[in-house]
Amino acid sequence: MKIHTLITDSDELAQLCDRLAKSDFVAVDTEFMRENTYWPELCLVQIANTEEAAAIDPLASGLDMTPLYELLTDNHDVLKIFHAGGQDVEIIFNATGKTPSPIFDTQIAMMAISQSEQIGYSNLVESWLGLTIDKGARFTDWSRRPLTERQIEYAIGDVTHLSKIFPRILKRLIKTGRGMWLNQEMEKLADPDNYRNDPTLAWRRIKAAGRNPQMLGRLKAIAEWREMEAQGKNIPRGRIARDETLADLASHPPKQQSDLAKVRGLSQGWRDNDIGKRLMNTIAKAQPLGDDEMPPRQQRGAPLGKEGALVADLLKLLLKIRAREIDVAARLLTRSDELEMLASGVRKNLPILEGWRYEVFGKDALELVEGRLGFAVEKGRLKMTRVSEDEEIFATAGADDAGDDDTDESGDDSES
């Protein structure tokens, strides 16, 4: 594989992208800094196919990144390969207003062919290529120039390894027939709505107790205010105020600016400075949240109670068994809260009861809840076993008999 020197020239980048545009796939990775800014600062882009690889310096003076962005977002003939690519996709979206398409994430794919929930890149490389990655440059300041040869070599390695691993993962997926399982997951990763930064919706990310429209209206207003303040200063939103501070302000709004000095998470200076004044103006102008904006009530069945909690535990045990049997990550099949909803009686709008998830796991989960599936130990291993009709009838009769006994006892007590 040809490894290019660091690309800082627009013509060289355009020529590279022309060649890569003829590939079936390209592996992509980015290096960025976001600790001290609101917007992540893109510092390096690495890209490779099976024949060549390069690192591109977006901080180079005069470099036109358009050919690269067009390759990633507009060329739908080339598959873009990432590993744990959520933040990479976010950065590309911030730069272009589009997400890479089509897209494939090797971390997500590993969930369909192994029990790895969130396999790290180093472990992925070691597992598939038998190589140990030098982690010395992992925490480097990628915004500093010049970059050292070691830094560039480390960064390019992320995509050269990925370009070798992806075909092997794809071959395994084809062999198992589980490729279709990943379609929905990859669509979620590439959905632009996941990366749109609408300040008017920022309040939805903040945990707040209750559904009071006045409180939620204040939360919406001050969350939007915080986003605009942070964007204007290009600093992390948490440096303006933490989420829990906003929730406290929404629930217990200060009556005057001097009261801000008493709010946990705000400094004494807020009692008379300009930012405190802007916050008070925002709170004063906040309107109750409209009915059309109220968050949906969480879907719930009957309260779990002790028996329901035991059923949920059995479902989690069943999930572990099935994930082990078919060698798939349990997280890809379902989540704990979904199992608890199933145990409490919910039967609608549960992914576990739809599509391939129902065929692979949901059908058995439903039968366990409804008494048609049980557990058995065979040769020291726990496995699922079907309950015969006779056993179901016996179990039902036993439950009825128990109810009759309770009635008799209460009758005897009343007569005495």
mmCIF file of all heavy atoms in Angstrom, residues 318-341:
data_model
loop_
_atom_site.group_PDB
_atom_site.id
_atom_site.type_symbol
_atom_site.label_atom_id
_atom_site.label_comp_id
_atom_site.label_asym_id
_atom_site.label_seq_id
_atom_site.Cartn_x
_atom_site.Cartn_y
_atom_site.Cartn_z
ATOM 1 N N LEU A 318 -32.579 -15.050 29.705
ATOM 2 C CA LEU A 318 -32.851 -15.580 28.372
ATOM 3 C C LEU A 318 -32.030 -14.843 27.316
ATOM 4 O O LEU A 318 -31.494 -15.461 26.390
ATOM 5 C CB LEU A 318 -34.346 -15.450 28.063
ATOM 6 C CG LEU A 318 -34.811 -15.873 26.666
ATOM 7 C CD1 LEU A 318 -34.586 -17.369 26.463
ATOM 8 C CD2 LEU A 318 -36.281 -15.522 26.461
ATOM 9 N N LEU A 319 -31.918 -13.537 27.470
ATOM 10 C CA LEU A 319 -31.137 -12.735 26.526
ATOM 11 C C LEU A 319 -29.675 -13.165 26.521
ATOM 12 O O LEU A 319 -29.057 -13.302 25.464
ATOM 13 C CB LEU A 319 -31.260 -11.253 26.885
ATOM 14 C CG LEU A 319 -30.453 -10.270 26.039
ATOM 15 C CD1 LEU A 319 -30.902 -10.320 24.581
ATOM 16 C CD2 LEU A 319 -30.591 -8.849 26.597
ATOM 17 N N LYS A 320 -29.117 -13.401 27.699
ATOM 18 C CA LYS A 320 -27.726 -13.843 27.787
ATOM 19 C C LYS A 320 -27.533 -15.196 27.103
ATOM 20 O O LYS A 320 -26.545 -15.417 26.394
ATOM 21 C CB LYS A 320 -27.292 -13.932 29.251
ATOM 22 C CG LYS A 320 -27.127 -12.585 29.936
ATOM 23 C CD LYS A 320 -26.652 -12.776 31.375
ATOM 24 C CE LYS A 320 -26.486 -11.423 32.064
ATOM 25 N NZ LYS A 320 -26.026 -11.577 33.467
ATOM 26 N N ILE A 321 -28.490 -16.096 27.331
ATOM 27 C CA ILE A 321 -28.390 -17.427 26.731
ATOM 28 C C ILE A 321 -28.453 -17.335 25.212
ATOM 29 O O ILE A 321 -27.646 -17.923 24.501
ATOM 30 C CB ILE A 321 -29.509 -18.348 27.266
ATOM 31 C CG1 ILE A 321 -29.311 -18.608 28.759
ATOM 32 C CG2 ILE A 321 -29.544 -19.662 26.498
ATOM 33 C CD1 ILE A 321 -30.450 -19.369 29.400
ATOM 34 N N ARG A 322 -29.435 -16.586 24.705
ATOM 35 C CA ARG A 322 -29.593 -16.495 23.261
ATOM 36 C C ARG A 322 -28.391 -15.790 22.618
ATOM 37 O O ARG A 322 -27.908 -16.210 21.557
ATOM 38 C CB ARG A 322 -30.887 -15.762 22.936
ATOM 39 C CG ARG A 322 -31.146 -15.486 21.455
ATOM 40 C CD ARG A 322 -30.877 -16.687 20.553
ATOM 41 N NE ARG A 322 -31.598 -17.866 20.911
ATOM 42 C CZ ARG A 322 -32.804 -18.170 20.449
ATOM 43 N NH1 ARG A 322 -33.423 -17.346 19.633
ATOM 44 N NH2 ARG A 322 -33.375 -19.306 20.791
ATOM 45 N N ALA A 323 -27.881 -14.733 23.240
ATOM 46 C CA ALA A 323 -26.721 -14.030 22.690
ATOM 47 C C ALA A 323 -25.514 -14.960 22.616
ATOM 48 O O ALA A 323 -24.755 -14.937 21.637
ATOM 49 C CB ALA A 323 -26.409 -12.802 23.539
ATOM 50 N N ARG A 324 -25.362 -15.799 23.638
ATOM 51 C CA ARG A 324 -24.250 -16.747 23.638
ATOM 52 C C ARG A 324 -24.446 -17.815 22.576
ATOM 53 O O ARG A 324 -23.494 -18.199 21.881
ATOM 54 C CB ARG A 324 -24.137 -17.399 25.026
ATOM 55 C CG ARG A 324 -22.965 -18.363 25.169
ATOM 56 C CD ARG A 324 -23.034 -19.081 26.497
ATOM 57 N NE ARG A 324 -24.217 -19.946 26.578
ATOM 58 C CZ ARG A 324 -24.684 -20.469 27.705
ATOM 59 N NH1 ARG A 324 -24.091 -20.194 28.856
ATOM 60 N NH2 ARG A 324 -25.753 -21.250 27.686
ATOM 61 N N GLU A 325 -25.679 -18.295 22.430
ATOM 62 C CA GLU A 325 -25.959 -19.364 21.470
ATOM 63 C C GLU A 325 -25.659 -18.939 20.039
ATOM 64 O O GLU A 325 -25.105 -19.709 19.254
ATOM 65 C CB GLU A 325 -27.426 -19.787 21.582
ATOM 66 C CG GLU A 325 -27.745 -20.624 22.792
ATOM 67 C CD GLU A 325 -29.226 -20.996 22.838
ATOM 68 O OE1 GLU A 325 -30.026 -20.372 22.108
ATOM 69 O OE2 GLU A 325 -29.571 -21.892 23.613
ATOM 70 N N ILE A 326 -26.056 -17.722 19.679
ATOM 71 C CA ILE A 326 -25.902 -17.293 18.281
ATOM 72 C C ILE A 326 -24.696 -16.380 18.092
ATOM 73 O O ILE A 326 -24.456 -15.882 16.995
ATOM 74 C CB ILE A 326 -27.175 -16.602 17.768
ATOM 75 C CG1 ILE A 326 -27.449 -15.304 18.527
ATOM 76 C CG2 ILE A 326 -28.364 -17.539 17.868
ATOM 77 C CD1 ILE A 326 -28.655 -14.535 17.990
ATOM 78 N N ASP A 327 -23.929 -16.159 19.180
ATOM 79 C CA ASP A 327 -22.715 -15.338 19.127
ATOM 80 C C ASP A 327 -23.011 -13.940 18.573
ATOM 81 O O ASP A 327 -22.523 -13.535 17.524
ATOM 82 C CB ASP A 327 -21.637 -16.020 18.280
ATOM 83 C CG ASP A 327 -20.263 -15.389 18.481
ATOM 84 O OD1 ASP A 327 -20.051 -14.781 19.548
ATOM 85 O OD2 ASP A 327 -19.420 -15.478 17.561
ATOM 86 N N VAL A 328 -23.827 -13.221 19.322
ATOM 87 C CA VAL A 328 -24.188 -11.861 18.934
ATOM 88 C C VAL A 328 -24.217 -11.015 20.199
ATOM 89 O O VAL A 328 -24.458 -11.531 21.296
ATOM 90 C CB VAL A 328 -25.560 -11.832 18.211
ATOM 91 C CG1 VAL A 328 -26.669 -12.209 19.162
ATOM 92 C CG2 VAL A 328 -25.833 -10.477 17.591
ATOM 93 N N ALA A 329 -23.942 -9.729 20.080
ATOM 94 C CA ALA A 329 -23.978 -8.843 21.237
ATOM 95 C C ALA A 329 -25.418 -8.665 21.714
ATOM 96 O O ALA A 329 -26.309 -8.354 20.924
ATOM 97 C CB ALA A 329 -23.362 -7.496 20.891
ATOM 98 N N ALA A 330 -25.641 -8.862 23.001
ATOM 99 C CA ALA A 330 -26.992 -8.738 23.557
ATOM 100 C C ALA A 330 -27.573 -7.358 23.281
ATOM 101 O O ALA A 330 -28.771 -7.216 23.039
ATOM 102 C CB ALA A 330 -26.951 -9.010 25.062
ATOM 103 N N ARG A 331 -26.732 -6.346 23.278
ATOM 104 C CA ARG A 331 -27.205 -4.977 23.076
ATOM 105 C C ARG A 331 -27.821 -4.782 21.693
ATOM 106 O O ARG A 331 -28.692 -3.930 21.512
ATOM 107 C CB ARG A 331 -26.034 -4.015 23.277
ATOM 108 C CG ARG A 331 -26.395 -2.546 23.145
ATOM 109 C CD ARG A 331 -25.188 -1.703 23.413
ATOM 110 N NE ARG A 331 -25.441 -0.295 23.127
ATOM 111 C CZ ARG A 331 -24.528 0.658 23.225
ATOM 112 N NH1 ARG A 331 -23.311 0.350 23.616
ATOM 113 N NH2 ARG A 331 -24.808 1.909 22.943
ATOM 114 N N LEU A 332 -27.379 -5.565 20.721
ATOM 115 C CA LEU A 332 -27.949 -5.447 19.387
ATOM 116 C C LEU A 332 -29.368 -5.996 19.355
ATOM 117 O O LEU A 332 -30.186 -5.553 18.547
ATOM 118 C CB LEU A 332 -27.074 -6.201 18.371
ATOM 119 C CG LEU A 332 -27.466 -6.076 16.893
ATOM 120 C CD1 LEU A 332 -27.355 -4.632 16.425
ATOM 121 C CD2 LEU A 332 -26.610 -6.981 16.022
ATOM 122 N N LEU A 333 -29.662 -6.947 20.227
ATOM 123 C CA LEU A 333 -30.989 -7.561 20.241
ATOM 124 C C LEU A 333 -32.014 -6.692 20.958
ATOM 125 O O LEU A 333 -33.123 -6.484 20.463
ATOM 126 C CB LEU A 333 -30.921 -8.941 20.903
ATOM 127 C CG LEU A 333 -30.056 -9.993 20.203
ATOM 128 C CD1 LEU A 333 -30.008 -11.266 21.031
ATOM 129 C CD2 LEU A 333 -30.581 -10.280 18.810
ATOM 130 N N THR A 334 -31.650 -6.181 22.132
ATOM 131 C CA THR A 334 -32.619 -5.397 22.898
ATOM 132 C C THR A 334 -31.915 -4.715 24.056
ATOM 133 O O THR A 334 -30.719 -4.916 24.283
ATOM 134 C CB THR A 334 -33.760 -6.291 23.428
ATOM 135 O OG1 THR A 334 -34.773 -5.471 23.996
ATOM 136 C CG2 THR A 334 -33.258 -7.281 24.449
ATOM 137 N N ARG A 335 -32.680 -3.921 24.822
ATOM 138 C CA ARG A 335 -32.166 -3.225 25.993
ATOM 139 C C ARG A 335 -32.934 -3.679 27.237
ATOM 140 O O ARG A 335 -34.047 -4.199 27.149
ATOM 141 C CB ARG A 335 -32.308 -1.712 25.853
ATOM 142 C CG ARG A 335 -31.715 -1.133 24.594
ATOM 143 C CD ARG A 335 -31.853 0.396 24.627
ATOM 144 N NE ARG A 335 -33.203 0.813 24.976
ATOM 145 C CZ ARG A 335 -34.162 1.036 24.089
ATOM 146 N NH1 ARG A 335 -33.927 0.871 22.801
ATOM 147 N NH2 ARG A 335 -35.365 1.430 24.486
ATOM 148 N N SER A 336 -32.351 -3.434 28.392
ATOM 149 C CA SER A 336 -32.974 -3.851 29.653
ATOM 150 C C SER A 336 -34.327 -3.196 29.856
ATOM 151 O O SER A 336 -35.277 -3.844 30.308
ATOM 152 C CB SER A 336 -32.055 -3.516 30.837
ATOM 153 O OG SER A 336 -30.883 -4.287 30.800
ATOM 154 N N ASP A 337 -34.443 -1.898 29.530
ATOM 155 C CA ASP A 337 -35.719 -1.226 29.756
ATOM 156 C C ASP A 337 -36.817 -1.800 28.864
ATOM 157 O O ASP A 337 -37.993 -1.846 29.250
ATOM 158 C CB ASP A 337 -35.585 0.283 29.541
ATOM 159 C CG ASP A 337 -35.124 0.659 28.144
ATOM 160 O OD1 ASP A 337 -34.588 -0.211 27.436
ATOM 161 O OD2 ASP A 337 -35.304 1.829 27.759
ATOM 162 N N GLU A 338 -36.446 -2.275 27.673
ATOM 163 C CA GLU A 338 -37.436 -2.885 26.789
ATOM 164 C C GLU A 338 -37.917 -4.216 27.358
ATOM 165 O O GLU A 338 -39.106 -4.547 27.272
ATOM 166 C CB GLU A 338 -36.841 -3.075 25.395
ATOM 167 C CG GLU A 338 -37.864 -3.429 24.342
ATOM 168 C CD GLU A 338 -37.255 -3.518 22.942
ATOM 169 O OE1 GLU A 338 -36.080 -3.143 22.781
ATOM 170 O OE2 GLU A 338 -37.968 -3.981 22.040
ATOM 171 N N LEU A 339 -36.998 -4.971 27.956
ATOM 172 C CA LEU A 339 -37.389 -6.231 28.591
ATOM 173 C C LEU A 339 -38.315 -5.982 29.771
ATOM 174 O O LEU A 339 -39.267 -6.740 30.003
ATOM 175 C CB LEU A 339 -36.141 -6.991 29.047
ATOM 176 C CG LEU A 339 -35.209 -7.501 27.945
ATOM 177 C CD1 LEU A 339 -34.023 -8.224 28.556
ATOM 178 C CD2 LEU A 339 -35.946 -8.403 26.972
ATOM 179 N N GLU A 340 -38.054 -4.930 30.522
ATOM 180 C CA GLU A 340 -38.919 -4.599 31.657
ATOM 181 C C GLU A 340 -40.313 -4.199 31.187
ATOM 182 O O GLU A 340 -41.312 -4.528 31.833
ATOM 183 C CB GLU A 340 -38.273 -3.486 32.480
ATOM 184 C CG GLU A 340 -37.015 -3.951 33.209
ATOM 185 C CD GLU A 340 -36.249 -2.811 33.848
ATOM 186 O OE1 GLU A 340 -36.723 -1.654 33.737
ATOM 187 O OE2 GLU A 340 -35.186 -3.073 34.452
ATOM 188 N N MET A 341 -40.393 -3.487 30.065
ATOM 189 C CA MET A 341 -41.698 -3.122 29.518
ATOM 190 C C MET A 341 -42.455 -4.360 29.068
ATOM 191 O O MET A 341 -43.662 -4.486 29.284
ATOM 192 C CB MET A 341 -41.503 -2.138 28.358
ATOM 193 C CG MET A 341 -41.008 -0.769 28.804
ATOM 194 S SD MET A 341 -40.485 0.284 27.433
ATOM 195 C CE MET A 341 -42.058 0.599 26.651
#
